[in-house]
Amino acid sequence: MGDLTGRTALVTGASRGIGRAIAERLAADGARVAVHHGAGPGDDLDAKETVEGILARGGDAFAVAAEFGPPGDVDRLFDGLLGGLSEPRLDILVNNAAIPDVPGPPEDITPERFDRLMAVNARAPLFTVRRALPLIPDGGRIVNISTGLTRFANPREVMQTMSKAALEMVTLHFARHLGPRGITVNTVAPGVVDTGDPALADPGLRAALSGLSAFGRLGEPDDIAGVVAFLASSDARWITGAWIDATGGTLLG
């Protein structure tokens, strides 16, 4: 795995779950990590805990607050990011922040819920990439966290999946646009990951979801963080525009 010493990274939605694991892994590999969090209940405390854990293990990190969705969200993100960096340089950008939707019949979808999902899950990452471009040096890395749901039909999650499919287009088109600069842009698509959701404490549900994976278990945040760390390394220099199946073999049939 490539050594990230001397590089800077921004991980959005890094206060808990997959984002926290990614921030911890990139810091363990040597990067100085900006741990972004929103304004949800406990987000600031969780981000503080993430940063303190990284520092306690000898890493380097700082927290950045910005609620995605309202006007000026990306500006606030970069104000905080630049305030924590010694120089205006961002080597690694991981667009992980997202909000879920409540699964339900397609007949129950609403314009308000759709607009909120698209604002956070698609628009914010798009304009985060746009704002980051002057800061990313040649050879930089962008990783977008999507979902395996974009590869099969689940009508109860149509809006959530649409927002993530839009994010995948950010990967595809910016990979082509940034290729001449040696900047790679890739998508990582997790399956069912145990991020502490209380619903997964139900033994029956847990067993059913575990059975979807070829490995017979739920994913762990570290499983996804390892894939991202590889894509952030120099070893992944010849991979761009890719959709990386990180579902644990869920899509094998």
Side-chain angles (χ1 to χ4, degrees):
M1 201 63 63
D3 184 0
L4 302 182
T5 299
R7 299 187 189 181
T8 58
L10 167 62
V11 183
T12 66
S15 60
R16 60 175 72 94
I18 292 173
R20 173 182 283 190
I22 293 170
E24 291 174 340
R25 175 58 188 269
L26 296 182
D29 286 354
R32 174 171 172 76
V33 182
V35 175
H36 162 259
H37 66 90
D43 279 358
D44 56 341
L45 296 177
D46 287 340
K48 180 181 178 182
E49 184 178 272
T50 301
V51 170
E52 290 177 346
I54 290 172
L55 296 176
R57 289 186 290 273
D60 192 1
F62 62 97
V64 177
E67 178 70 7
F68 285 153
D73 50 0
V74 173
D75 290 335
R76 284 187 289 275
L77 171 67
F78 278 84
D79 286 346
L81 172 67
L82 293 171
L85 297 177
S86 58
E87 61 175 312
R89 175 188 174 110
L90 181 63
D91 299 281
I92 302 161
L93 169 62
V94 182
N95 281 308
N96 169 74
I99 56 172
D101 189 33
V102 178
E107 291 81 2
D108 292 344
I109 65 177
T110 67
E112 294 77 16
R113 282 165 49 204
F114 177 80
D115 290 345
R116 172 66 174 155
L117 285 166
M118 293 299 291
V120 176
N121 297 358
R123 189 186 72 193
L126 169 63
F127 285 96
T128 296
V129 171
R130 176 181 176 273
R131 181 68 185 273
L133 289 184
L135 306 178
I136 300 178
D138 292 356
R141 300 285 187 264
I142 299 172
V143 182
N144 295 318
I145 307 300
S146 183
T147 172
L149 286 172
T150 61
R151 290 304 189 268
F152 65 93
N154 184 356
R156 292 176 60 83
E157 298 187 77
V158 59
M159 292 195 299
Q160 177 82 19
T161 307
M162 284 181 68
S163 69
K164 287 297 190 178
L167 177 60
E168 292 176 9
M169 292 302 98
V170 175
T171 293
L172 185 65
H173 295 283
F174 275 93
R176 181 64 177 267
H177 180 60
L178 298 174
R181 294 180 54 197
I183 297 172
T184 67
V185 190
N186 292 291
T187 292
V188 173
V192 182
V193 179
D194 187 357
T195 58
D197 185 341
L200 293 178
D202 177 76
L205 178 61
R206 193 176 186 89
L209 294 175
S210 295
L212 296 176
S213 165
F215 300 117
R217 67 171 177 86
L218 299 181
E220 297 290 339
D222 285 347
D223 295 326
I224 310 306
V227 178
V228 174
F230 166 68
L231 291 173
S233 75
S234 61
D235 292 338
R237 61 190 174 275
W238 200 239
I239 301 173
T240 196
W243 188 88
I244 307 298
D245 182 340
T247 67
T250 296
L251 303 182
L252 296 179

